[in-house]
Amino acid sequence: MSKVAVVFAPGCEEVEGLSIVDVLRRMGVDTTMVGLENKQVPGAHGIELTCDTTLDDHLLDYDVVAFPGGRGGAEKLGANQHLADLMHKRNAAGKWDAAMCAAPTALAKYGLLDGCDYTCFPGFEKQISQVAKNAHFKEDITVVDAGHKIITSRGPATAWAFAYQIAEVLGLDTKQIKHEMLYDYLMAQK
């Protein structure tokens, strides 16, 4: 069974992180909420999140580690040296990592977006380009760079698409869950 960790930092976008957890758990994926500093994590919009565990070396055991965005949360993710070290080890082991909204800035600070195709919340590509000069920004809803094993997405409204993309990278068929959650209906209304 696939295992996914979603890392929550103070100031994170609650809806982004919880959407990943919700979709993947509905699909039967072993999904763990990991608090960066504590099990109790204050979100960007005053929602107190209770995580399953806190950051430790078990992060190396997951098939995918995902970061929700939120400027404050992304800054804390990017500034955490222990997390940076773990993400480098994951990358060297060929594991998948995912970040959305402002959180790709953390991956850029770790050096993991070098040469990578990615997306992010509008405007953050300017900050990323200062650190990862040869990263390739795309305006797609989600971007998968299979060579670098990085999945990125844009922001709160793209959280479900991001969660489905993570499931698909894990080899899961998302057709049924998209139907059950009315995502196919939503996409047909464009």
Side-chain angles (χ1 to χ4, degrees):
M1 175 193 275
S2 298
K3 290 174 56 174
V4 175
V6 182
V7 181
F8 290 85
C12 67
E13 280 282 352
E14 302 96 336
V15 71
E16 293 174 359
L18 292 175
S19 292
I20 300 164
V21 174
D22 180 273
V23 167
L24 295 177
R25 286 185 179 176
R26 285 177 193 241
M27 296 187 74
V29 175
D30 182 358
T31 307
T32 304
M33 294 174 61
V34 177
L36 180 65
E37 301 164 352
N38 299 294
K39 279 188 172 184
Q40 296 299 124
V41 179
H45 302 100
I47 301 171
E48 187 80 16
L49 302 161
T50 302
C51 293
D52 304 307
T53 189
T54 56
L55 180 69
D56 64 22
D57 290 354
H58 286 101
L59 209 63
L60 300 173
D61 300 336
Y62 292 90
D63 299 297
V64 178
V65 168
F67 294 168
R71 181 187 303 269
E75 288 172 357
K76 286 180 176 56
L77 293 169
N80 188 294
Q81 190 57 52
H82 185 213
L83 180 59
D85 293 343
L86 291 171
M87 297 302 281
H88 276 282
K89 289 176 184 175
R90 288 183 52 74
N91 183 263
K95 302 247 183 171
W96 281 95
D97 294 309
M100 69 178 305
C101 192
T105 60
L107 297 181
K109 285 180 183 176
Y110 306 156
L112 299 182
L113 288 188
D114 292 342
C116 188
D117 290 341
Y118 78 97
T119 195
C120 60
F121 192 83
F124 280 94
E125 71 277 7
K126 293 178 183 94
Q127 181 180 339
I128 289 170
S129 70
Q130 299 295 313
V131 181
K133 296 187 186 319
N134 62 346
H136 313 286
F137 174 71
K138 309 289 182 192
E139 290 188 354
D140 300 335
I141 292 171
T142 60
V143 174
V144 175
D145 188 311
H148 291 90
K149 297 219 170 173
I150 300 284
I151 309 159
T152 51
S153 191
R154 307 288 320 253
T158 68
W160 281 5
F162 184 57
Y164 299 139
Q165 189 66 70
I166 291 169
E168 290 165 7
V169 162
L170 291 170
L172 301 171
D173 183 350
T174 59
K175 184 177 180 184
Q176 184 64 32
I177 192 74
K178 286 177 179 176
H179 180 71
E180 290 171 0
M181 296 182 77
L182 297 183
Y183 186 78
D184 55 354
Y185 169 79
L186 177 67
M187 290 296 98
Q189 302 305 307
K190 289 194 214 178

